């Protein structure tokens, strides 16, 4: 395979954002088509380079092909819609029905979230798994917060070990997700600013105490509503085919939900905190594509190197 | 006025179903067949054929399966499904009505009494 062909196929692969099983099939099919076409053009008297150039010209621009492949594969089934919106709905119900006070329900939902996220992660990372994964990060955060409340000596001993490990693990998850598609990283992290917003609203001093529990009870219907709005957003996201619509939907819904949090907490979040949360929300949408660009530059170098190597071997 | 590309985009599903009704084919074969049978009128940007085929497959109108050739290479052959045949019959009727109406306007017959 020549470097030009490798680059052509890689551009399609990168922009079509397919999962691994679909990706393998689609790329094999395109490769077989190009081989047939180049063979025929060579038999008509063109040199190898001319044949490849003509063939790639007739295949169409990589962005156009990838864009159409993305739209052919992006729409999830109704089963995927229910799977993807389920964690948001579960957490929404947990608060809307005030079940969050029962340790049993809370444990069941958290356990279900973690098990589903791990199952999906090891079974091809389908689109629905990323909303579960976002909530599966909660126990990690919760353990971190719990460590703060340990007796002082223990806190100082455990926090410097736990936080770097937790951050490293979170970073690995984000990198792996971004390699699949940066939009899934944004989808996964979407509840984060909302959760931070509610946490700051119920415990303005940053410490969770008995008074905070009363506030959670007071805000519970609104906390539930905000998670359910996210659930509906994700349902629409899974059904949409166009990428730009998906990005717009996540951004608008995220910012609207955040505004609702601030509105319902009726002044408990000050302006500075609100802008801080807006900044976190923008981070959710800007950091994954930047990370992808950074990772991509590394892949490109590797692909070209591999391509040149295999061409040399032939 | 619709360009040739617009016409192809609007009718690509019907054309693909129609070709696959006759025999199972693989992508490159479909491109060649479409070009030959339309005497060069219909030309796909060949890479965009596959998204169109995969959309039809996801709708259950066609199905694809890999076959190993004697030379060791693999090709993905597509065949039309029962659902595809029903859809094609429906689309053929629509196209025939449309063509009849266009023909009546392009070649007006003697006006009535």
């Amino acid at each position: 395979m020549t470097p030009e062909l490798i680059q052509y196929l890689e551009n399609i692969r990168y922009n079509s954002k397919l999962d691994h099983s679909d990706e393998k099939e689609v790329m094999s099919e395109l490769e077989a088509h190009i081989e047939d076409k180049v063979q025929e053009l060579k038999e008509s008297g063109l040199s190898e380079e001319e044949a490849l150039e003509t063939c790639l010209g007739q295949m169409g621009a990589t962005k156009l092909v990838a864009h159409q492949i993305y739209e052919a594969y992006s729409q999830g089934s109704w089963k995927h819609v229910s799977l993807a919106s389920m964690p948001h709905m579960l957490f929404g119900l947990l608060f809307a029905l005030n079940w969050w006070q029962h340790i049993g329900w809370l444990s069941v939902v958290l356990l279900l979230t973690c098990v589903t996220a791990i199952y999906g992660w090891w079974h091809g990372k389908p689109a629905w798994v990323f909303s579960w994964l976002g909530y599966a990060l909660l126990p990690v955060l919760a353990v971190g917060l719990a460590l703060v409340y340990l007796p002082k000596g223990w806190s100082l001993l455990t926090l410097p070990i736990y936080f770097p490990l937790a951050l490293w693990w979170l970073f690995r998850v984000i990198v792996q997700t971004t390699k699949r598609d940066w939009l899934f990283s944004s989808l996964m992290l979407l509840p984060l600013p909302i959760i931070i917003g509610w946490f700051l609203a119920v415990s303005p001093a940053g410490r969770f105490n008995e008074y905070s529990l009363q506030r959670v009870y007071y805000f519970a219907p609104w906390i539930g509503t905000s998670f359910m709005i996210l659930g509906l957003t994700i349902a629409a996201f899974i059904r949409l085919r166009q990428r730009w619509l998906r990005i717009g939907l996540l951004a608008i819904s995220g910012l609207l939900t955040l505004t609702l949090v601030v509105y319902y907490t009726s002044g408990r979040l000050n302006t500075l905190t609100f802008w801080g949360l807006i900044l976190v929300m923008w981070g959710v949408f800007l950091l994954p594509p930047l990370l992808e660009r950074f990772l991509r530059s590394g892949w490109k170098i590797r692909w070209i190197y591999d391509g040149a190597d295999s061409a040399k071997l032939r | 006025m619709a360009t040739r590309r617009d016409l192809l985009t609007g009718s690509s599903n019907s054309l693909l179903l129609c070709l696959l009704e006759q025999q199972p084919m693989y992508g490159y074969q479909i491109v060649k067949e479409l070009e030959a049978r339309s005497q060069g009128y219909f030309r796909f940007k060949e890479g965009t054929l596959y998204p169109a085929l995969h959309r039809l497959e996801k709708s259950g109108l066609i199905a694809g399966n890999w076959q190993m050739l004697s030379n060791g290479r693999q090709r993905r052959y597509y065949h039309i499904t029962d659902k595809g045949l029903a859809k094609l019959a429906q689309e053929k009727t629509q196209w025939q009505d449309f063509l009849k109406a266009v023909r009546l306007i392009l070649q007006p017959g003697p006006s009535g009494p």
Side-chain angles (χ1 to χ4, degrees), chain B residues 25-81:
Chain B
M25 290 187 205
Y26 58 93
Y28 189 57
Q29 190 182 1
I30 292 173
V31 171
K32 302 284 289 174
E33 192 70 14
L34 191 67
E35 201 176 319
R37 287 179 55 179
S38 67
Q39 296 177 346
Y41 186 86
F42 286 133
R43 273 188 194 167
F44 268 97
K45 272 287 178 197
E46 296 178 18
T48 65
L49 167 73
Y50 294 96
L53 284 171
H54 297 169
R55 266 197 306 274
L56 288 174
E57 193 179 17
K58 287 209 165 262
S59 314
L61 301 174
I62 63 174
N65 58 305
W66 287 96
Q67 285 182 22
M68 180 75 83
L69 305 182
S70 53
N71 60 8
R73 289 174 64 186
Q74 283 196 313
R75 278 190 180 133
R76 192 150 197 255
Y77 278 83
Y78 292 92
H79 65 268
I80 194 163
T81 61

Side-chain angles (χ1 to χ4, degrees), chain A residues 3 72 77 120 134-135 273 301 305 308 314:
Chain A
S77 64
Y135 288 98
T273 313
I301 291 163
Y305 179 76
R314 283 176 185 198

Side-chain angles (χ1 to χ4, degrees), chain A residues 69-282:
Chain A
I69 291 174
Y70 181 85
E71 289 192 359
Y73 280 86
S74 57
Q75 190 182 50
S77 64
W78 288 108
K79 186 180 139 198
H80 291 151
V81 167
S82 42
L83 275 169
S85 53
M86 200 180 286
H88 301 283
M89 293 300 181
L90 280 176
F91 276 87
L93 285 175
L94 208 60
F95 285 96
L97 302 174
N98 264 319
W99 290 348
W100 62 272
Q101 300 170 82
H102 304 286
I103 192 77
W105 281 116
L106 200 62
S107 311
V108 166
V109 171
L110 280 176
L111 189 69
L112 182 70
T113 304
C114 293
V115 169
T116 313
I118 292 167
Y119 175 84
W121 185 262
W122 292 108
H123 287 80
K125 301 189 189 82
W128 57 261
V129 80
F130 298 103
S131 45
W132 290 90
L133 205 55
Y135 288 98
L137 303 176
L138 279 179
V140 182
L141 196 69
V143 171
L145 280 175
L147 292 179
V148 176
Y149 295 95
L150 286 176
K152 214 152 206 163
W154 283 102
S155 275
L156 287 175
L157 195 70
T158 49
L159 285 175
I161 300 168
Y162 183 80
F163 269 98
L165 275 176
L167 282 175
W168 175 81
W169 179 75
L170 178 68
F171 182 70
R172 290 296 306 160
V173 170
I174 293 174
V175 166
Q176 291 296 320
T177 306
T178 305
K179 276 184 181 173
R180 168 86 162 78
D181 183 352
W182 70 260
L183 198 48
F184 290 139
S185 283
S186 297
L187 184 148
M188 176 178 79
L189 297 172
L190 187 65
L192 191 69
I194 313 293
I195 292 170
I196 295 176
W198 283 121
F199 180 77
L200 292 177
V202 298
S203 46
R207 288 187 78 85
F208 204 81
N209 51 31
E210 214 165 285
Y211 182 58
S212 308
L213 282 177
Q214 284 173 19
R215 279 187 158 183
V216 176
Y217 189 80
Y218 177 73
F219 288 129
W222 308 119
I223 299 177
T225 308
S226 60
F227 286 133
M228 285 190 191
I229 292 173
L230 291 184
L232 293 175
T233 303
I234 301 307
F237 176 94
I238 295 288
R239 287 301 291 172
L240 284 174
R241 286 179 188 276
Q242 291 85 358
R243 192 168 173 80
W244 64 272
L245 275 179
R246 288 178 146 198
I247 297 171
L249 176 76
L250 286 192
I252 290 169
S253 170
L255 290 172
L256 269 181
T257 315
L258 205 55
T259 311
L260 281 180
V261 175
V262 175
Y263 178 76
Y264 286 127
T265 51
S266 42
R268 283 187 178 86
L269 292 177
N270 60 33
T271 315
L272 196 67
T273 313
F274 175 65
W275 285 111
L277 289 172
I278 294 282
L279 206 66
V280 173
M281 187 59 91
W282 277 113

